[in-house]
Amino acid sequence: DAAEIRLSLARSCATCAAILLTHSHYDHFGALADLAEGTGAPVWLPEGELDVFRRPSDFFPGIAIRPYEGEATLLSGGETVEAAGLSFQVLLVPGHSPAHLAYYADGSLFSGDVLFADSVGRTDLPFGSWDMLLDSIRTLVESYPPETAVYSGHGPATTLGAELARNPFLAELRA
């Protein structure tokens, strides 16, 4: 809900400096068009999922989502994005969705729906892949130190080390 997001920002005396999308599932971009229009913030999103942002009703029939038709910088992983005084590394981490992105800056990983506290992203949705998801998480734990803070699309913060040590879905990575 764009209005709710903007009210939360106002209560925090903050502004929306940028909108970085991890993937194109409706629960992650339902407010995109209204928020971008209302704030004027630049938008970055996964290039490989652009069709979903532009035509959400084709992918999520029966769910009312306003298409995003505005300007966007398309990302595919490997780029660096400068926003709000931070430099974010853009990482391609498919599995939950085909072109899912994560963003890393200053010891913090914004994982979207790839990795959660004690869980991982679903792979039973269209275009999901358990093997790709596990490979993406393997790349993350091999690329960043265990103390890296992980902020997911749902739930509390965690660290890469805590998830590698205790997450039941990552037993293969501990073997």
Side-chain angles (χ1 to χ4, degrees):
D1 182 287
E4 186 177 319
I5 294 169
R6 291 180 69 192
L7 282 172
S8 182
L9 288 167
R11 284 188 210 106
S12 301
C13 298
T15 59
C16 182
I19 302 170
L20 286 79
L21 279 290
T22 56
H23 65 294
S24 62
H25 289 159
Y26 66 88
D27 60 324
H28 288 264
F29 82 97
L32 173 59
D34 292 336
L35 186 63
E37 185 177 278
T39 64
V43 174
W44 286 276
L45 51 84
E47 179 175 27
E49 299 182 19
L50 181 61
D51 288 345
V52 183
F53 296 106
R54 298 287 196 227
R55 299 185 331 273
S57 62
D58 290 355
F59 297 87
F60 304 110
I63 299 175
I65 301 172
R66 186 174 159 209
Y68 181 67
E69 298 168 344
E71 295 284 321
T73 300
L74 303 179
L75 303 170
S76 57
E79 303 91 349
T80 299
V81 170
E82 304 288 332
L86 296 171
S87 181
F88 292 92
Q89 293 175 349
V90 182
L91 312 158
L92 178 63
V93 287
H96 179 65
S97 72
H100 195 297
L101 301 174
Y103 300 91
Y104 176 85
D106 297 335
S108 296
L109 177 69
F110 301 89
S111 67
D113 281 4
V114 169
L115 181 62
F116 303 100
D118 299 320
S119 194
V120 296
R122 294 176 57 178
T123 58
D124 61 330
L125 301 169
F127 311 109
S129 166
W130 171 252
D131 291 337
M132 291 176 85
L133 183 75
L134 193 60
D135 284 345
S136 292
I137 296 170
R138 179 180 291 111
T139 298
L140 294 174
V141 299
E142 291 174 353
S143 299
Y144 299 103
E147 63 273 10
T148 299
V150 177
Y151 300 97
S152 69
H154 308 276
T158 186
T159 65
L160 283 176
E163 294 315 305
L164 185 58
R166 71 169 187 245
N167 190 317
F169 297 95
L170 302 184
E172 290 179 58
L173 298 183
R174 291 191 289 274

